Amino acid sequence: QAAQKGYTSAYYNLAWLYYRNKENKDKNIIRIDYKKAKEYLELGAKHFNYPSINLLGVFYRDGLGVKKDMQKAIRLFEKAALYDKYAANHLAKYYSDKKDYENAIKYFGYARNKGDAAAQIELGVLYEKGQGTKKDVRKALGYYKDAYQNYRDKSQKDVAAYNIGLIYHYGKGDIKKDLKKAKSWYLKSNHDKAKTEFYKIEKPKKK
């Protein structure tokens, strides 16, 4: 009824009743039926519902209820990328895997504009390494700090703090080595390697 009244997000929600991935593996669904899910996604796409367009792209990319068609998936992701962070990330990762870092930066930028912390981290890595752009550690540091301070998406706080710690620890680019700042950032991170790097600076005293 919601779909019939023009609530286009209803098509997207209906599709999820017939589709399961790691994000909804514990939720109740009617049954796994990719073709049925695809029907709803196509209706959503027809009404310019961007989450539907993105997920339809995933179906074509992964061959869910349809023959795999990467080019069609890319066209769908491109249609949604400005409005849907997941579509932007799919394209960014596609181009990154192909070592087309300029396009990776473009689409990670779209995802970042939608508040995606993982995209902020990825942009930081690309600027830190100088891939697809001129190397700029200071700009990378800014992206890492944005990811750490991202109140809408806290999923990358540990990675961000660890990456910031590394920059200050080893004095990367034009950022001066500052062990005090490095330790402070390592302590803010629960990343597996943060403690290891911290103890390289602050070696435990032998009893």
Side-chain angles (χ1 to χ4, degrees):
Q1 286 184 335
Q4 290 171 353
K5 290 179 180 178
Y7 300 114
T8 59
S9 61
Y11 293 120
Y12 177 72
N13 294 332
L14 285 166
W16 279 94
L17 294 175
Y18 300 93
Y19 169 63
R20 174 171 280 161
N21 67 5
K22 63 181 180 181
E23 292 174 8
N24 78 325
K25 61 184 175 65
D26 297 322
K27 292 183 180 178
N28 291 326
I29 63 171
I30 294 173
R31 65 181 184 274
I32 298 291
D33 187 338
Y34 295 133
K35 288 186 178 180
K36 188 74 174 174
K38 180 174 167 285
E39 287 176 17
Y40 285 120
L41 293 175
E42 285 173 336
L43 286 168
K46 188 178 177 181
H47 290 84
F48 300 99
N49 176 259
Y50 294 107
S52 294
I53 295 169
N54 166 63
L55 191 53
L56 190 57
V58 171
F59 273 45
Y60 278 101
R61 183 195 67 190
D62 297 342
L64 303 175
V66 69
K67 186 179 178 181
K68 279 188 180 183
D69 188 336
M70 194 62 202
Q71 292 309 308
K72 190 160 188 175
I74 288 168
R75 288 195 296 273
L76 288 162
F77 292 147
E78 285 174 343
K79 193 174 180 179
L82 266 174
Y83 311 96
D84 186 278
K85 68 178 183 179
Y86 300 105
N89 269 320
H90 291 319
L91 282 171
K93 287 168 185 173
Y94 169 78
Y95 286 116
S96 186
D97 288 344
K98 288 189 166 296
K99 295 183 169 33
D100 181 350
Y101 297 118
E102 287 185 14
N103 269 317
I105 285 174
K106 173 184 173 181
Y107 288 108
F108 278 132
Y110 286 178
R112 172 227 175 199
N113 291 342
K114 288 291 176 184
D116 189 72
Q120 291 170 321
I121 294 290
E122 294 290 350
L123 284 167
V125 170
L126 290 168
Y127 274 94
E128 188 176 343
K129 293 181 176 179
Q131 292 177 322
T133 185
K134 186 179 178 181
K135 186 173 181 177
D136 190 335
V137 177
R138 193 170 291 276
K139 196 163 188 174
L141 186 63
Y143 281 124
Y144 296 148
K145 286 183 177 178
D146 286 345
Y148 182 81
Q149 295 165 354
N150 190 330
Y151 67 92
R152 288 189 290 176
D153 180 357
K154 298 179 180 180
S155 66
Q156 302 298 313
K157 283 178 77 75
D158 292 328
V159 174
Y162 172 66
N163 286 1
I164 295 167
L166 287 174
I167 289 174
Y168 285 121
H169 187 170
Y170 296 101
K172 296 183 179 185
D174 63 343
I175 305 298
K176 290 183 179 179
K177 186 174 181 176
D178 189 325
L179 298 183
K180 187 176 180 180
K181 283 185 179 179
K183 287 195 295 182
S184 173
W185 281 103
Y186 288 147
L187 287 172
K188 292 175 182 177
S189 175
N190 289 315
H191 191 285
D192 291 342
K193 295 180 180 177
K195 188 178 287 187
T196 301
E197 292 296 330
F198 177 84
Y199 283 122
K200 284 181 183 178
I201 303 170
E202 194 80 3
K203 292 179 182 178
K205 293 178 182 179
K206 293 180 180 179
K207 292 183 180 180

